[in-house]
Amino acid sequence: MLFNKKKTQNCVIIGSGPAGYSAAIYTARADMNPLLFTGFQPGGQLTTTTDVDNYLGFPEGINGIDFMKNCRMQAERFNTKIINESVNRVILSNKKGGIHRIFFDQKKCIESRGLIIATGSRPKFLGINKEKKFLGLGVSFCATCDGFFHKEKDVAVIGGGDSALEEASYLAKICRKVYLIVRKDYFKASKILQCRILKKKNINILFYSNVTEIIGGNFLEGIKIFNKKNKKNRTILISGLFIAIGHTPNTEIFKNELDLNEKGYIIVEKGKTITSKPGVFAAGDVQDPDYRQAITSAGTGCMAALDLEKYYLLQT
């Protein structure tokens, strides 16, 4: 959709996942005429999910790609201007009511009084063959999203931190057996989580272990594991592989412009989406290392839109 690059915008949104589109719908309905950049992965991580089964309002579930298409169409219905480009640089104002500069398509630039960042995060991969091929076909990064599809089956979780143990604990409630694959000989997770895991009879902990191969034709069927202590290989037949070795927030272009925490997530005021720069707000996984759910991301997208609207009201 065409837009006037010379005109200062009221609202620019970076990111096209649930947070970005939710922010677009709310800002559009508030007559802020939002302009949304889709980024390098239009639709966000949900486009790599076969079925979204836990989003409110879809009793039969919905395909991840179809869900994000619906989000885009709803945003467009309220005249959100959608730009299929990635933002590669920002210069943010320190002043209230200041103008933020957003660069894209090499050296093109637009200006805006309000900015909502919804660039999300990306999971850390193992870096082995078939890992990306089987995303949504057995390989997952979210037990609460996809665990239900493996009910009463055998699965594996990779990782030794809090996220991995939380995933394993959740899966142990619904799966027949859970293999917890840990690269070192100890957990990095909190003691309370370790105690909880050790009490689960259907969790089989494999220390000193790495996944070396993913097995399957059209979908995941199993994995090969190498034990560094006894130097032995092992094949495990599973229906689901949950990788929980961390996420990386997509905040590289904001490093020198916004306050980030030690893991690179944008810092926001507690219970708000307000960042360290006036008129700049963050929503979704880019500021949320804990929940990482479509529904919570959409909720913070709504919050960012309302926070931006309030920001404008306080200036009048």
Side-chain angles (χ1 to χ4, degrees), residues 173-204:
K173 298 176 184 178
I174 57 177
C175 296
R176 182 173 55 194
K177 182 182 288 187
V178 178
Y179 295 96
L180 183 54
I181 303 166
V182 186
R183 182 167 55 92
K184 297 182 179 180
D185 63 339
Y186 61 88
F187 291 123
K188 294 187 293 182
S190 60
K191 292 296 182 182
I192 189 170
L193 281 174
Q194 294 185 41
C195 291
R196 188 183 303 167
I197 287 294
L198 293 172
K199 292 178 181 178
K200 302 282 187 181
K201 294 182 180 180
N202 63 334
I203 294 181
N204 188 351

Side-chain angles (χ1 to χ4, degrees), residues 18-204:
Y21 282 131
S22 176
I25 290 165
Y26 275 83
T27 52
R29 285 167 57 87
D31 292 328
M32 282 188 257
N33 302 309
L35 189 154
L36 182 146
F37 286 92
T38 60
F40 70 92
Q41 187 179 16
Q45 290 188 57
L46 281 185
T47 57
T48 64
T49 301
T50 51
D51 293 297
V52 179
D53 218 34
N54 57 354
Y55 198 95
L56 192 67
F58 295 91
E60 302 299 323
I62 184 171
N63 178 273
I65 294 175
D66 291 337
F67 177 73
M68 293 317 304
K69 284 181 179 178
N70 288 349
C71 292
R72 176 170 178 145
M73 287 190 294
Q74 188 174 1
E76 289 179 319
R77 182 163 71 90
F78 293 106
N79 296 318
T80 298
K81 299 179 181 66
I82 297 179
I83 311 300
N84 297 310
E85 296 279 358
S86 294
V87 172
N88 51 52
R89 183 187 174 205
V90 295
I91 299 177
L92 306 179
S93 173
N94 292 308
K95 299 178 181 179
K96 285 187 178 181
I99 304 299
H100 309 295
R101 303 179 70 195
I102 298 100
F103 296 83
F104 66 102
D105 191 16
Q106 295 182 347
K107 294 184 179 180
K108 291 182 181 178
C109 174
I110 60 170
E111 297 182 341
S112 181
R113 296 180 182 87
L115 176 64
I116 295 176
I117 300 167
T119 49
S121 65
R122 58 191 184 275
K124 293 180 180 178
F125 285 85
L126 298 170
I128 60 177
N129 193 31
K130 294 186 179 180
E131 184 180 19
K132 294 183 179 179
K133 174 185 176 181
F134 288 152
L135 273 178
L137 298 171
V139 175
S140 174
F141 294 92
C142 179
T144 54
C145 305
D146 302 323
F148 179 80
F149 302 114
H150 305 279
K151 191 173 182 180
E152 300 299 330
K153 298 178 182 179
D154 294 349
V155 299
V157 177
I158 302 177
D162 283 354
S163 295
L165 270 62
E166 287 171 354
E167 299 270 275
S169 181
Y170 173 82
L171 290 165
K173 298 176 184 178
I174 57 177
C175 296
R176 182 173 55 194
K177 182 182 288 187
V178 178
Y179 295 96
L180 183 54
I181 303 166
V182 186
R183 182 167 55 92
K184 297 182 179 180
D185 63 339
Y186 61 88
F187 291 123
K188 294 187 293 182
S190 60
K191 292 296 182 182
I192 189 170
L193 281 174
Q194 294 185 41
C195 291
R196 188 183 303 167
I197 287 294
L198 293 172
K199 292 178 181 178
K200 302 282 187 181
K201 294 182 180 180
N202 63 334
I203 294 181
N204 188 351

